[in-house]
Amino acid sequence: MQNGLDDSLLFPSRLLEELDWSQCSAQFKPAISATAPGDNLILRPLQASDYDTGFLQILGQLTSVGDVSREMFQSRFDSMKACKDTYYILVLEDICTSQVIGAASLIVEQKFIHSAAMRGRVEDVVVSKDYRGKQLGKLLVQTLTLLAKHVGCYKVTLECSDDNIKFYNNFGYEKSAENYMVARFKD
């Protein structure tokens, strides 16, 4: 327990160890993986104590986070953890600074179609400005793509700007013919 927060992981870290990297579609030079992301870095599931390690600040480099209190964070963490096999949030931590320097999410949706299959969605991929150019965004996306397959998703999707299409093509993602529509209720 750190600062009153439960240090439990959002999902079992063994899932990262079970990934089949022989199915990796991206190339890493130099070689990195979920179990060896680089010097002084670890890739792991989100834990409740990440409220104090910069997780929300990293998300703030991607989009508006708002004012999230410790209690709000813990409540959301507990809610996500209770939805077993649904939320897989990865963080990259610099173990020298004990700070989160990257994050990405896989959300698994249970369906009735495709014989009651599951669909994955990759979201909220971000790497700290100070750590970009080290293949870490690529590592996050590849790990979540392999994880989606490992947990049984029949497909995995993501949303991106036109500028990022080429990046995501490296992982086997293709631009679909469907239109992406949105109805926003909050920023």
Side-chain angles (χ1 to χ4, degrees):
M1 192 81 97
Q2 178 184 8
N3 297 324
L5 290 177
D6 177 9
D7 279 334
S8 64
L9 300 173
L10 187 60
F11 65 92
S13 58
R14 70 170 164 68
L15 290 176
L16 298 177
E17 297 162 10
E18 295 170 356
L19 297 180
D20 183 359
W21 282 86
S22 71
Q23 298 180 12
C24 179
S25 56
Q27 296 197 356
F28 295 93
K29 294 181 182 173
I32 58 174
S33 69
T35 56
D39 292 339
N40 301 313
L41 298 177
I42 58 170
L43 180 65
R44 60 171 173 76
L46 179 73
Q47 57 192 30
S49 61
D50 285 327
Y51 181 85
D52 295 313
T53 63
F55 175 69
L56 295 176
Q57 290 75 14
I58 287 299
L59 290 179
Q61 291 186 25
L62 179 66
T63 190
S64 171
V65 174
D67 186 20
V68 178
S69 70
R70 180 180 304 278
E71 293 75 24
M72 290 167 65
F73 184 91
Q74 186 68 52
S75 177
R76 180 64 57 182
F77 181 90
D78 292 342
S79 176
M80 288 177 159
K81 187 172 172 77
C83 297
K84 295 197 183 310
D85 305 323
T86 302
Y87 294 98
Y88 300 90
I89 300 175
L90 295 177
V91 297
L92 277 162
E93 179 185 349
D94 181 324
I95 57 174
C96 289
T97 63
S98 299
Q99 291 295 297
V100 171
I101 56 93
S105 303
L106 170 67
I107 295 87
V108 175
E109 176 184 2
Q110 296 183 33
K111 310 287 275 184
F112 285 105
I113 61 174
H114 298 285
S115 302
M118 297 182 298
R119 168 196 186 222
R121 261 188 357 261
V122 171
E123 297 188 345
D124 305 333
V125 178
V126 62
V127 174
S128 170
K129 294 172 187 159
D130 298 332
Y131 290 81
R132 291 183 188 157
K134 298 179 184 218
Q135 309 181 97
L136 299 175
K138 189 191 312 190
L139 178 63
L140 288 165
V141 173
Q142 185 63 73
T143 303
L144 289 181
T145 302
L146 292 172
L147 183 58
K149 186 172 184 178
H150 182 70
V151 299
C153 293
Y154 75 96
K155 75 176 180 180
V156 62
T157 61
L158 55 81
E159 301 153 9
C160 71
S161 66
D162 287 344
D163 293 342
N164 291 329
I165 291 173
K166 186 177 178 184
F167 173 74
Y168 289 110
N169 286 153
N170 292 321
F171 311 101
Y173 290 87
E174 300 172 355
K175 189 171 180 181
S176 75
E178 293 112 20
N179 291 320
Y180 168 67
M181 307 289 286
V182 63
R184 286 200 191 273
F185 304 108
K186 271 186 166 177
D187 287 332

